[in-house]
Amino acid sequence: MSYRWRIERLIAWSLFTLAGCLPWPVANADADAMDTLQVHGFLSQAWLVSDDNDFFGPSSENDGSFQYTEIGLNVSLRPLRDVLVSAQVLSRRAGDDDASPRLDHGIVDYQAFSNARRRLGIQLGRFKNPFGFYNQTRDVAFTRPSILLPQSIYFERTRSLALAADGVSVYDEEYLADGTLRLQIGIGDPQAGDDLDETLGLGEQAGSFDGRTSYIGQILYEDGEGHWTAALSAADVTARYQDSAGPIGDGRFHFQPWILSWQYNQEHWSLTTEFALRRIALDDFTNPRLNDVSLGQSWYVQYTRRFADEWQWLLRYDSLANDRNDRDGSQYEADGLGPAYSRYARDVTTGLQWRIHPRVLLAAEWHNIEGTGWLPVADAEDTEKYWNLLLFQASFRF
Amino acid sequence: MIWRRPQRRNDAIASSIPSGTSRISGCPGSRRRRFHPGNLAPPPWTRHLTRHFVGCTALLLLACQGPAQGAEHDVVVIANQGVGARVISHDMARAIFAMRLRTWPNGQAINVFVLPDDDPVHERFAKRLLNVYPHQLRLAWDRVVFSGTGQAPHPVDDEREMLERVASTPGGVGYLERDQLEDSVHVISLAN
């Protein structure tokens, strides 16, 4: 398969470059490599209840939905003292029935330089995309402030593209006088899942998307006092659609998001905000009707308050517009394409997290939502404009 | 002792200076309090004498009481005897305990040991020496582990075990209250 071949060529090329340019990894003389083996994991199960609109399964039916489960197993090892090998298998069920385990990440990470002023390294394999504050560990409940991440930015519809890429990533961390600057740049093939076909209304078609060489980068600054963090993430993700024999023909899909992130921390509270512009383009399609460009806009503001050591309360406003030039969807509706409210979503969320044990987290949250802009397409039938969603989740990690 | 968020540069350095030199820098606050009687404006002829008396008392108190008030409960970064570094920067310490740095400047592998999240010594260590809160550290560990960019630190139950594990593990690093220090490990000072 040409896809796999390209990856192999990319990895071989990177290894070759690496070998030539960087100091050689040094054997871990101090300890047996197996002493460094670590195994971690997590498991979470949610219960979703909504008054209208199904989210992750039949949430609006009598007993709600239990179709939101995340199970992960993580193994890491330091075979050489500056090399880390890490792999994670994830089984995730979010409404659909396909919860088969897949490789979430699989990385060989070589930290070539590490001194008092900087550290610099390279990752080969399937790496998690540094996309906003939460993308890299978006499926681990313990790293999320709420059960559902702000859906305007971390939504399901293009999840597979944003999640991880197969290729090479380089990171650099500079320790400056007033803080730390972190850079990461990655080149690789994204995983284009069925979510993309469905989002673009091509789920019924024979053709499918195939990830192509894509780019992602993030620059992040953390001030020396540890109070605030700011980041800018950008990506150019490409997928190729192949349906030579069918009515759609071949074409290309581009996802080009920019995300500006900012977080302020105090001992008992944090304020987080992210703003994203998402350019989505279809081009090169034989059928010219399909070629289209849209610019979506997403943002949220989130306040979290910690109290009594184990509790955290969250309040968030989250806003999504699928088309920046038609934020309320009125033009979309006037064109007879569908209801206006399917083009945006405004979500007021409040939630509680209780860490009853370092390994156990219980959470509950309530969303009051206008619009169905981020409702996964598989769930988006017979929708209502105004709806409420209540979630409960129990999580365990080791 | 009233807890005050440290001025990053000075207090944190003071709290991590090896015990032999910590007497003066250990309790600047108590010196200020000792001079209080001098502000009551005694008759002019007593002023000279008073100043001497107060000064001597203050020095005496500093020498005897000072360390007992503050320095003993200071938390210091400790390392295995084989670790060459004696002074590291704050940012480097933070990168080490956030599990982002893997090797010492001499190339030796770093092995990080930590007390439980709710241990008061861990809390003081995180807040005063690293300027982060324990929950931020925990989040940082979860993020490096589950994104494949790092490993979790080795957990220890108490300071006794901390001392033993750091002393016996090549490249080992951890932290202790100053009065728990033993010769089997050495102190690493934090500077900028």
Side-chain angles (χ1 to χ4, degrees):
Chain A
M1 210 170 141
S2 67
Y3 161 78
R4 192 162 293 160
W5 203 87
R6 267 185 294 116
I7 285 298
E8 279 170 8
R9 199 173 47 180
L10 191 63
I11 290 173
W13 178 84
S14 311
L15 277 173
F16 182 73
T17 316
L18 189 75
C21 304
L22 302 173
W24 282 82
V26 192
N28 201 344
D30 299 328
D32 186 354
M34 287 314 283
D35 290 345
T36 66
L37 180 74
Q38 288 192 1
V39 180
H40 297 278
F42 56 90
L43 188 158
S44 66
Q45 174 62 53
W47 177 36
L48 304 92
V49 183
S50 59
D51 51 0
D52 291 298
N53 301 344
D54 284 336
F55 186 78
F56 290 173
S59 62
S60 66
E61 287 170 23
N62 294 341
D63 297 330
S65 167
F66 289 92
Q67 295 179 14
Y68 184 27
T69 311
E70 297 154 311
I71 304 171
L73 188 69
N74 178 294
V75 180
S76 63
L77 183 73
R78 280 179 359 192
L80 305 169
R81 66 192 178 199
D82 39 17
V83 173
L84 174 77
V85 179
S86 170
Q88 183 163 296
V89 174
L90 174 74
S91 160
R92 179 177 187 266
R93 186 181 196 201
D96 50 23
D97 286 318
D98 180 23
S100 52
R102 51 178 71 192
L103 184 69
D104 183 56
H105 72 248
I107 306 171
V108 178
D109 179 325
Y110 168 45
Q111 209 168 87
F113 296 103
S114 149
N115 59 37
R117 283 185 296 120
R118 74 166 51 91
R119 70 184 189 112
L120 196 144
I122 184 165
Q123 297 180 332
L124 299 174
R126 175 167 297 175
F127 62 89
K128 302 298 296 254
N129 286 325
F131 189 70
F133 279 144
Y134 298 110
N135 189 61
Q136 288 186 314
T137 54
R138 64 191 278 166
D139 300 313
V140 188
F142 286 86
T143 68
R144 297 190 295 242
S146 47
I147 299 171
L148 291 183
L149 283 173
Q151 293 292 299
S152 72
I153 292 179
Y154 304 94
F155 49 85
E156 288 292 307
R157 292 187 169 187
T158 49
R159 172 188 153 82
S160 63
L161 280 181
L163 201 58
D166 297 333
V168 187
S169 154
V170 176
Y171 59 87
D172 176 34
E173 195 165 295
E174 300 281 330
Y175 307 118
L176 308 173
D178 301 316
T180 305
L181 187 70
R182 277 187 245 168
L183 291 160
Q184 191 176 346
I185 295 168
I187 302 173
D189 286 10
Q191 305 149 66
D194 293 341
D195 54 350
L196 189 58
D197 301 57
E198 284 175 8
T199 299
L200 297 170
L202 301 171
E204 304 293 311
Q205 304 296 332
S208 69
F209 280 98
D210 191 10
R212 287 296 153 104
T213 306
S214 300
Y215 308 88
I216 185 146
Q218 184 180 66
I219 178 164
L220 183 144
Y221 183 80
E222 208 174 70
D223 88 311
E225 301 284 334
H227 280 314
W228 59 271
T229 306
L232 178 68
S233 321
D236 180 7
V237 182
T238 308
R240 183 100 204 150
Y241 190 78
Q242 284 178 314
D243 182 30
S244 307
I248 307 287
D250 296 348
R252 262 189 331 192
F253 172 83
H254 295 277
F255 177 49
Q256 292 159 327
W258 287 85
I259 304 184
L260 202 58
S261 314
W262 185 81
Q263 183 170 63
Y264 183 79
N265 285 297
Q266 276 294 339
E267 181 166 16
H268 295 295
W269 59 271
S270 302
L271 191 65
T272 310
T273 181
E274 295 194 285
F275 175 86
L277 284 177
R278 298 168 289 108
R279 183 177 182 272
I280 291 174
L282 291 167
D283 61 18
D284 264 8
F285 274 94
T286 338
N287 181 346
R289 255 187 338 112
L290 287 167
N291 294 329
D292 188 23
V293 177
S294 70
L295 187 65
Q297 177 181 300
S298 311
W299 64 272
Y300 72 87
V301 180
Q302 169 184 291
Y303 173 81
T304 48
R305 171 103 206 163
R306 285 167 287 278
F307 57 98
D309 288 340
E310 293 104 22
W311 291 82
Q312 180 171 286
W313 172 66
L314 168 138
L315 185 65
R316 180 170 66 211
Y317 180 77
D318 181 37
S319 163
L320 166 105
N322 280 341
D323 185 351
R324 203 167 180 237
N325 298 317
D326 181 27
R327 286 181 210 194
D328 60 2
S330 54
Q331 187 61 46
Y332 185 81
E333 189 169 288
D335 291 345
L337 295 167
Y341 67 78
S342 68
R343 301 293 290 165
Y344 66 87
R346 291 161 200 153
D347 177 0
V348 178
T349 306
T350 186
L352 265 182
Q353 286 188 337
W354 182 27
R355 281 169 200 256
I356 56 174
H357 183 271
R359 299 188 188 285
V360 181
L361 175 70
L362 298 180
E365 73 196 35
W366 173 56
H367 297 251
N368 178 258
I369 309 156
E370 176 191 341
T372 59
W374 45 253
L375 203 63
V377 177
D379 292 326
E381 283 174 14
D382 302 326
T383 54
E384 292 288 334
K385 180 176 178 179
Y386 296 97
W387 55 299
N388 289 280
L389 177 64
L390 192 61
L391 300 99
F392 301 91
Q393 190 178 49
S395 311
F396 170 76
R397 66 132 178 255
F398 65 88
Chain B
M1 187 173 158
I2 299 162
W3 184 76
R4 181 173 56 86
R5 194 170 175 76
Q7 276 293 315
R8 184 176 157 227
R9 277 149 233 264
N10 303 327
D11 295 24
I13 291 172
S15 58
S16 60
I17 288 172
S19 50
T21 56
S22 68
R23 289 186 172 181
I24 310 277
S25 55
C27 55
S30 60
R31 185 194 286 173
R32 260 199 310 277
R33 279 198 299 278
R34 287 297 123 202
F35 275 113
H36 250 284
N39 296 337
L40 294 175
W45 63 269
T46 62
R47 218 173 266 166
H48 187 70
L49 201 69
T50 309
R51 198 179 297 147
H52 262 288
F53 175 70
V54 172
C56 289
T57 313
L59 274 177
L60 209 70
L61 282 167
L62 267 176
C64 307
Q65 274 192 350
Q69 291 290 323
E72 259 182 32
H73 296 286
D74 279 351
V75 181
V76 291
V77 175
I78 56 165
N80 184 272
Q81 291 289 9
V83 171
R86 289 293 188 274
V87 181
I88 59 173
S89 71
H90 263 96
D91 285 330
M92 194 170 163
R94 231 193 324 253
I96 288 172
F97 284 97
M99 302 305 289
R100 295 201 301 271
L101 215 56
R102 252 166 258 161
T103 50
W104 289 107
N106 67 4
Q108 193 177 22
I110 298 177
N111 280 296
V112 178
F113 293 89
V114 293
L115 291 166
D117 286 7
D118 56 356
D119 190 300
V121 177
H122 176 74
E123 275 178 43
R124 262 183 291 154
F125 163 71
K127 285 182 191 169
R128 293 191 195 178
L129 292 195
L130 301 185
N131 260 328
V132 299
Y133 306 112
H135 68 88
Q136 287 176 300
L137 270 183
R138 173 59 62 188
L139 186 62
W141 301 335
D142 279 346
R143 285 197 173 151
V144 294
V145 167
F146 294 115
S147 65
T149 52
Q151 288 192 305
H154 306 292
V156 293
D157 291 333
D158 50 42
E159 291 185 275
R160 191 75 239 156
E161 193 188 348
M162 174 71 87
L163 191 70
E164 285 164 11
R165 297 289 301 278
V166 171
S168 63
T169 311
V173 61
Y175 46 88
L176 274 185
E177 281 179 302
R178 189 182 293 286
D179 59 0
Q180 304 287 316
L181 269 177
E182 286 181 16
D183 289 342
S184 54
V185 294
H186 76 75
V187 171
I188 291 189
S189 310
L190 303 192
N192 282 296

